[in-house]
Amino acid sequence: MGKEKTKTALLEAGKKVFLEKGYNNAGIEAILQTAGVPKGSFYYYFESKEDFGLQVINHFAAIYQSNIDLYFDNESLSPLDRLRRYFESICERLESQQCRNGCLVGNLSQEMAAQSEVFRARLEEIFQDWVNRYAEVLDQAQRLGEIPSHLDVHELAEFWLNSWQGATLRAKATRGTGPLRTFLNIMFGYILQVQA
Amino acid sequence: MGKEKTKTALLEAGKKVFLEKGYNNAGIEAILQTAGVPKGSFYYYFESKEDFGLQVINHFAAIYQSNIDLYFDNESLSPLDRLRRYFESICERLESQQCRNGCLVGNLSQEMAAQSEVFRARLEEIFQDWVNRYAEVLDQAQRLGEIPSHLDVHELAEFWLNSWQGATLRAKATRGTGPLRTFLNIMFGYILQVQA
């Protein structure tokens, strides 16, 4: 493998192992094995396990961001349909692995927020980026009259992110997408007052 | 210490260490130290770390349940006020430790649901007990006309639990009660359609 390819393989293996075992419990050996990369090369690419953890987070934050863009910048859909299709796509992705893994950013926040200020600050920054994207699309929907004008789109975007994280957590506990479907029903039906 | 007192001290130390470090990362030595209990006595009280983990969960599930009862069985309050006061009390408790710890049941679900079927099943059972209690109080509120009659109280109770877990997770990431306050505003203001 070339250098860039090896590094990407390690970052992808990191995500996989973090999702299965969490950060603290993830051994560097297991990450190297998952990536199929020889021992000893880890510290060529990363200064420390913390540096690696942050690079895994940044790598996947960029991928998640492009996935949001894919839906939210799709001008052939109405703002509300962009939002709906995006969350339905995550629902399908989580369902494809029986909702076992949840969300990398949510999992690591739960585990690391109190243990590492560096991780907490970076993860919260990513959450805020997502909230801003949700607020933008909700604002567009409101300007077009797709959702009620009395809604505070910034507050709602915060609530949306947090509640979705909770639904993802509960989906892990129930091993099914029920909590995600309930989320979509309540958010679209009761709050945005449109059919889910 | 007497036997019961020692066991309780170990369970309380377990909760403290699990909240700070998670289950996998919690060393038995650290738990004994936190409890001020001599080494060697752990396996007198518990068969294994897993047995200990489950007993910590059961011990605190019982305490959380009595706390729910304290509010939800208080007939001097209207059903809606029971619900509101209960969640405000959790909000204050989380605030008192800068929202660092979150919820034991939520944290362990996030960490253990995919790793241990025994933990997942027990944690999900506790979540379901809570959902049932929320549904009861919402049903009482609905019968008294405190909340709109079109709401499906069972679906809403599920959503309530999951979204609160998400708000608690995000409170850890933001290190503040903002997400909990947003939750109360949206749930009471937009969904139950009463003043928060």
Side-chain angles (χ1 to χ4, degrees):
Chain A
M1 277 193 262
K3 280 185 190 176
E4 267 314 300
K5 222 173 152 183
T6 303
K7 189 170 178 183
T8 305
L10 284 167
L11 294 172
E12 281 168 1
K15 180 197 181 194
K16 190 168 182 292
V17 177
F18 291 168
L19 282 172
E20 282 168 10
K21 299 173 180 265
Y23 172 81
N24 287 304
N25 209 29
I28 288 170
E29 188 125 341
I31 292 161
L32 288 161
Q33 259 182 13
T34 304
V37 167
K39 288 183 200 182
S41 59
F42 187 85
Y43 292 100
Y44 175 80
Y45 294 100
F46 308 100
E47 280 174 30
S48 60
K49 188 177 170 189
E50 185 185 73
D51 173 43
F52 174 66
L54 289 169
Q55 291 204 41
V56 170
I57 292 168
N58 290 335
H59 182 73
F60 286 95
I63 293 175
Y64 295 150
Q65 198 68 57
S66 348
N67 194 40
I68 293 180
D69 293 346
L70 187 71
Y71 286 88
F72 285 19
D73 295 343
N74 179 349
E75 299 197 352
S76 73
L77 296 173
S78 82
L80 207 55
D81 279 339
R82 293 174 211 163
L83 195 66
R84 195 199 311 263
R85 297 254 187 116
Y86 171 68
F87 281 94
E88 280 171 356
S89 77
I90 309 183
C91 213
E92 283 161 25
R93 181 152 48 83
L94 291 171
E95 190 163 27
S96 72
Q97 26 94 348
Q98 298 83 48
C99 302
R100 294 174 68 92
N101 292 343
C103 164
L104 183 70
V105 180
N107 291 0
L108 292 178
S109 296
Q110 187 85 294
E111 181 183 1
M112 299 303 292
Q115 287 178 41
S116 159
E117 180 55 23
V118 176
F119 277 79
R120 187 201 66 74
R122 179 63 189 121
L123 293 162
E124 172 56 18
E125 204 171 46
I126 296 166
F127 277 149
Q128 281 173 16
D129 286 343
W130 295 351
V131 166
N132 290 338
R133 293 295 270 142
Y134 302 170
E136 268 169 39
V137 77
L138 286 166
D139 182 60
Q140 289 162 7
Q142 197 170 49
R143 284 168 194 275
L144 291 174
E146 284 193 296
I147 63 172
S149 59
H150 72 273
L151 296 172
D152 175 335
V153 294
H154 289 277
E155 185 179 41
L156 190 55
E158 289 279 350
F159 181 75
W160 197 292
L161 174 88
N162 304 344
S163 294
W164 179 257
Q165 285 295 326
T168 305
L169 189 167
R170 184 81 190 289
K172 290 167 75 173
T174 62
R175 284 277 169 83
T177 53
L180 308 173
R181 303 284 170 202
T182 296
F183 171 91
L184 295 174
N185 281 343
I186 300 249
M187 294 307 288
F188 282 94
Y190 290 174
I191 297 195
L192 303 184
Q193 298 173 26
V194 292
Q195 291 302 312
Chain B
M1 276 194 262
K3 281 186 187 175
E4 267 315 299
K5 223 172 150 185
T6 303
K7 189 172 177 181
T8 305
L10 285 167
L11 295 172
E12 281 167 1
K15 181 198 181 192
K16 189 167 183 292
V17 178
F18 292 169
L19 282 172
E20 283 168 9
K21 298 173 181 265
Y23 172 81
N24 287 305
N25 208 30
I28 288 169
E29 188 124 342
I31 292 161
L32 288 161
Q33 259 182 12
T34 303
V37 168
K39 286 182 199 182
S41 60
F42 187 85
Y43 292 101
Y44 175 81
Y45 294 99
F46 307 101
E47 281 173 30
S48 59
K49 188 178 171 189
E50 184 185 74
D51 174 42
F52 174 68
L54 289 169
Q55 290 204 41
V56 170
I57 292 169
N58 290 335
H59 182 74
F60 286 95
I63 292 174
Y64 295 150
Q65 197 69 55
S66 347
N67 193 40
I68 293 181
D69 292 347
L70 186 72
Y71 287 88
F72 284 19
D73 295 344
N74 180 349
E75 298 198 351
S76 73
L77 296 174
S78 83
L80 207 55
D81 280 338
R82 294 175 211 163
L83 195 66
R84 195 199 311 263
R85 297 254 188 115
Y86 171 67
F87 281 94
E88 280 172 358
S89 76
I90 310 182
C91 213
E92 282 161 25
R93 181 151 48 82
L94 292 171
E95 191 163 27
S96 71
Q97 26 93 351
Q98 297 83 47
C99 303
R100 294 174 68 93
N101 291 341
C103 165
L104 182 70
V105 180
N107 291 0
L108 292 177
S109 296
Q110 188 86 296
E111 181 183 0
M112 300 303 293
Q115 286 179 42
S116 159
E117 180 53 22
V118 175
F119 277 79
R120 187 201 66 75
R122 179 63 188 121
L123 293 162
E124 172 55 18
E125 205 170 44
I126 296 166
F127 277 149
Q128 280 173 17
D129 286 343
W130 294 351
V131 166
N132 290 336
R133 294 294 270 140
Y134 302 171
E136 269 167 40
V137 78
L138 287 166
D139 183 58
Q140 289 163 7
Q142 197 171 48
R143 282 167 195 275
L144 292 174
E146 285 193 295
I147 62 173
S149 59
H150 72 273
L151 296 172
D152 175 336
V153 294
H154 289 278
E155 185 179 41
L156 189 55
E158 288 280 351
F159 181 75
W160 197 293
L161 175 88
N162 304 344
S163 294
W164 180 258
Q165 285 295 324
T168 305
L169 188 166
R170 184 81 190 290
K172 290 166 75 172
T174 62
R175 284 275 169 85
T177 54
L180 308 173
R181 303 286 170 199
T182 297
F183 171 91
L184 295 174
N185 281 344
I186 300 249
M187 294 307 287
F188 283 94
Y190 290 174
I191 296 196
L192 303 183
Q193 298 172 25
V194 291
Q195 291 303 313

